[in-house]
Amino acid sequence: MADINVSLTARTGKSEPGAARGSSSSEGEPMLDLIELLFFAYRNFVSDPDEILQGFGFGRAHHRVLHFVNRHPGMRVTDLLDILRITKQSLGRVLRELVDQGFIDSRAGASDRRQRLLYLTPKGEALTQEFVAIQSRRIRRALEESGGESRELVRRFLVAMIDPEDRSSTEKLIARADQAVEARSAARGRPAG
């Protein structure tokens, strides 16, 4: 891999007098350093699960499906389509692979047999828990290196990155999943985590 040498001038988005400037707007200077940091952080955040998924012939769409089915057992396929914002055809292929390889169980709804409700199998739970553990370690380490008070700041920043019209529904979705995890943990007599 080639070395990438970045000068302070390039990193801060400031250029020499008379040099061409990139997409400056009335909103202020471009935040190229933060944009790049988000790309690199995401690359590393998904790299460990990506490596594991390759062993199954899966990709990131499979990871996202496993994640949300884990967080919302019994979710409808239509709800998953709304969350992921992918085509029904794309989701259908990914779900078929996950069901065929024994990671997800697709069941008919109790009141509407045409509804498909999604649950992780024990095999799917084990894989998802492995991803959660790996990614939680990475986040925990980054928060520790950033200072003890940073979790809430990072959370507020990530919520603010979501389009305003989607923030409330996203926060409600996360809160419902957290409450369900707490209720399941309480029923098993274990602390939520």
Side-chain angles (χ1 to χ4, degrees), residues 64-117:
R64 289 189 287 269
V65 169
L66 288 166
H67 173 83
F68 285 107
V69 173
N70 177 58
R71 291 282 285 163
H72 307 278
M75 77 181 321
R76 299 176 310 169
V77 171
T78 55
D79 294 332
L80 189 54
L81 281 168
D82 288 342
I83 290 170
L84 298 177
R85 294 184 180 169
I86 60 175
T87 66
K88 192 173 186 179
Q89 182 179 1
S90 295
L91 180 59
R93 179 189 58 79
V94 169
L95 273 177
R96 191 170 34 261
E97 292 170 351
L98 289 167
V99 169
D100 289 349
Q101 291 197 34
F103 291 94
I104 287 186
D105 184 22
S106 175
R107 304 175 193 164
S111 60
D112 183 350
R113 307 291 295 163
R114 294 170 297 173
Q115 258 184 359
R116 302 311 301 165
L117 305 180

Side-chain angles (χ1 to χ4, degrees), residues 158-186:
L158 291 172
V159 169
M161 288 287 292
I162 298 169
D163 289 338
E165 62 273 11
D166 293 333
R167 290 176 191 164
S168 177
S169 61
T170 300
E171 288 187 292
K172 287 176 185 172
L173 182 77
I174 292 168
R176 277 196 310 272
D178 288 344
Q179 290 167 353
V181 167
E182 288 175 15
R184 285 192 303 269
S185 294

Side-chain angles (χ1 to χ4, degrees), residues 51-63:
E51 192 175 314
I52 295 166
L53 288 163
Q54 282 180 342
F56 299 103
F58 292 163
R60 289 184 187 160
H62 297 83
H63 182 190

Side-chain angles (χ1 to χ4, degrees), residues 140-156:
R140 196 171 292 110
R141 186 195 75 228
L143 289 172
E144 287 170 1
E145 290 178 19
S146 301
E149 71 289 343
S150 59
R151 181 179 178 144
E152 185 54 34
L153 179 63
V154 171
R155 190 179 200 294
R156 286 195 319 264

